[in-house]
Amino acid sequence: MYTPWLMCAYAMALLLVLLGIRMIGRSMPGLRGIDHLRRYIVCGLIALVLLALRSRAPALFTVVTANLLLFAGAILLYCGAAEILEVRPRMLPWAMGLCSAGTFPLLWFTYIHNSEVGRLETHCVAMGTVFAMTAVTLFRRARTTLTDPARACGWLMVASVALNAAWGAFGIVRHPNDNFLRPDAVDAAFSYFNMILAAANVIALTWFTVCVHREELKAAAQTDSLTGLLNRGAFEEILRRELHRCELGARTMGLMLVDVDFFKRVNDSHGHLAGDDVLRRIGGALREGIRPSDVLARFGGEEFVILLRDAGQQATVEVAERLRGDIAALDDLPFGVTLTASFGVAANLPVETADDFLKRADAALYRSKREGRNMVRVDRGARLHKGLHSVTHQA
């Protein structure tokens, strides 16, 4: 197998990957880590060109510089993974220090004591260590919603670590072929699989950053930009899903609509910025007053909605009364304003749509505001329905 031809084929593959990544980056602006991945490929391409010129150019370029470019590419891959995960590359100084320290043995085993084994060991230790750092970062910082893509990338990094370890260990036991451009089958196999894994790593991380970007766009579409809570559309989707589960499992859940009393006065007296701050504070108070399993969303304007899983009407009323007190007790709102909120509470019926459920809670909220505000009112329709259901059952 003639190595330069293998390198040319690999270089063409990298160029295609680079072109694909560039097209992805232009079609999906804002992808994190994509620039690091492009630079990783550029470093690999330049290193390949230098390695292919091994018999025609000084060893300073074809051996030392080529390996340093590969080290730099591994570091860029680590930085790309950290940027995708939005974590600080804490191990970057160690990675850069290790790869910089590799310059001395490369020079030593090239000019002082010419040794292919020494250069191979230096390469495998540096590359394997940086790949291991990247794998640790991916496994430790895997996002909850993107665990599988992060782990897939991490295991590819582990495979690269294992390959470099095997290549280095094999090089100690068996001296590599002195003719780098015409290696035997074993050396060619190691080189071939190393190239395959390198390309797989960058493709996998590109796929990972696209997955992250897609999840962020989905979250942004479901999130209210002012309060950081779910928006109405996302809440209604969850409500429909939970009602279906309740029908299948005969479960109960409570729903409450919350409307801030006389909120318009805040905007008129102190401006919309103050009003926005008030809404954020009230949203925070509601979030702190419910369980992690409950669902809180901004329903629109100064209105919020809360879904309490596995909670009946009485439990929902108790939570609503407590939240009503929490809002009334807020004493550090902008300009010292004090506010109250009205609550409308409803419990789910055996069979009903999400719109009907919301209408019943809204009717209870309307009663709360009509009867004086700053109070909790319960849907009357649920009691009427239960009475009719009981009569029908007895008949």
Side-chain angles (χ1 to χ4, degrees):
M1 183 179 295
Y2 192 53
T3 299
W5 289 110
L6 179 63
M7 290 183 174
C8 287
Y10 182 61
M12 290 298 297
L14 284 184
L15 283 172
L16 291 175
V17 173
L18 181 61
L19 178 61
I21 292 177
R22 181 175 177 81
M23 292 176 64
I24 292 173
R26 294 188 65 178
S27 62
M28 303 178 67
L31 288 178
R32 291 196 301 274
I34 202 74
D35 290 335
H36 289 304
L37 299 183
R38 283 201 292 256
R39 295 185 188 109
Y40 164 77
I41 295 178
V42 171
C43 286
L45 284 171
I46 298 174
L48 276 176
V49 172
L50 293 176
L51 289 171
L53 296 174
R54 183 80 171 266
S55 61
R56 302 181 180 181
L60 178 64
F61 300 106
T62 61
V63 176
V64 179
T65 304
N67 276 282
L68 290 178
L69 282 169
L70 293 175
F71 296 166
I75 293 173
L76 287 168
L77 207 62
Y78 166 70
C79 292
E83 186 176 336
I84 293 170
L85 293 168
E86 288 189 297
V87 298
R88 290 181 57 190
R90 299 182 181 277
M91 291 180 281
L92 180 59
W94 293 97
M96 294 183 67
L98 174 66
C99 293
S100 298
T103 306
F104 176 75
L106 285 175
L107 292 171
W108 177 271
F109 290 122
T110 300
Y111 293 105
I112 307 301
H113 178 65
N114 186 26
S115 171
E116 191 75 31
V117 174
R119 293 194 293 269
L120 176 63
E121 297 306 312
T122 302
H123 172 90
C124 290
V125 168
M127 297 291 288
T129 303
V130 179
F131 285 143
M133 293 177 181
T134 308
V136 169
T137 301
L138 287 164
F139 284 129
R140 284 185 177 178
R141 303 292 183 176
R143 297 185 173 199
T144 304
T145 56
L146 292 171
T147 301
D148 291 339
R151 287 180 177 174
C153 294
W155 283 117
L156 274 176
M157 293 294 171
V158 170
S160 296
V161 174
L163 182 64
N164 278 279
W167 199 1
F170 195 76
I172 295 175
V173 176
R174 171 190 169 279
H175 294 290
N177 195 316
D178 291 334
N179 188 351
F180 175 80
L181 296 180
R182 294 184 181 275
D184 58 23
V186 175
D187 291 326
F190 273 116
S191 299
Y192 179 75
F193 284 115
N194 199 30
M195 293 176 183
I196 292 294
L197 277 176
N201 280 324
V202 71
I203 293 172
L205 284 175
T206 303
W207 166 60
F208 185 34
T209 190
V210 170
C211 291
V212 171
H213 187 68
R214 184 177 58 192
E215 286 293 318
E216 290 175 344
L217 290 177
K218 181 179 178 181
Q222 296 178 338
T223 303
D224 174 58
S225 59
L226 176 63
T227 61
L229 305 176
L230 291 175
N231 59 27
R232 179 169 181 167
F235 179 83
E236 289 180 342
E237 180 180 345
I238 294 173
L239 180 60
R240 285 190 289 269
R241 186 167 62 244
E242 290 300 317
L243 280 173
H244 180 65
R245 290 176 180 175
C246 286
E247 292 175 11
L248 295 176
R251 295 164 48 197
T252 60
M253 61 182 179
L255 181 70
M256 66 177 80
L257 283 172
V258 186
D259 188 88
V260 182
D261 297 329
F262 303 112
F263 178 74
K264 187 174 183 298
R265 295 177 183 177
V266 178
N267 284 333
D268 293 343
S269 301
H270 306 292
H272 288 279
L273 292 180
D276 290 347
D277 195 17
V278 166
L279 290 176
R280 281 191 288 265
R281 289 294 317 283
I282 292 177
L286 292 173
R287 185 191 293 113
E288 292 175 2
I290 61 176
R291 302 168 301 177
S293 60
D294 298 330
V295 183
L296 168 64
R298 185 184 177 196
F299 210 54
E302 65 271 20
E303 197 169 3
F304 299 86
V305 62
I306 304 173
L307 177 67
L308 277 65
R309 292 185 172 100
D310 298 314
Q313 180 175 287
Q314 184 58 38
T316 306
V317 170
E318 293 173 359
V319 174
E321 288 287 2
R322 176 165 49 79
L323 293 175
R324 184 186 63 82
D326 291 342
I327 292 174
L330 291 173
D331 57 1
D332 56 348
L333 296 177
F335 299 98
V337 302
T338 56
L339 290 171
T340 60
S342 301
F343 287 72
V345 170
N348 68 298
L349 299 177
V351 178
E352 69 176 334
T353 65
D355 289 340
D356 291 338
F357 197 11
L358 286 167
K359 286 178 182 178
R360 292 193 297 108
D362 188 59
L365 175 63
Y366 178 74
R367 285 180 48 232
S368 174
K369 299 182 78 68
R370 186 181 59 195
E371 295 176 9
R373 304 175 189 268
N374 189 25
M375 58 181 63
V376 176
R377 287 293 179 262
V378 181
D379 166 52
R380 290 174 173 172
R383 292 197 295 271
L384 178 61
H385 182 276
K386 289 178 180 177
L388 292 173
H389 178 75
S390 176
V391 170
T392 304
H393 180 72
Q394 290 175 5

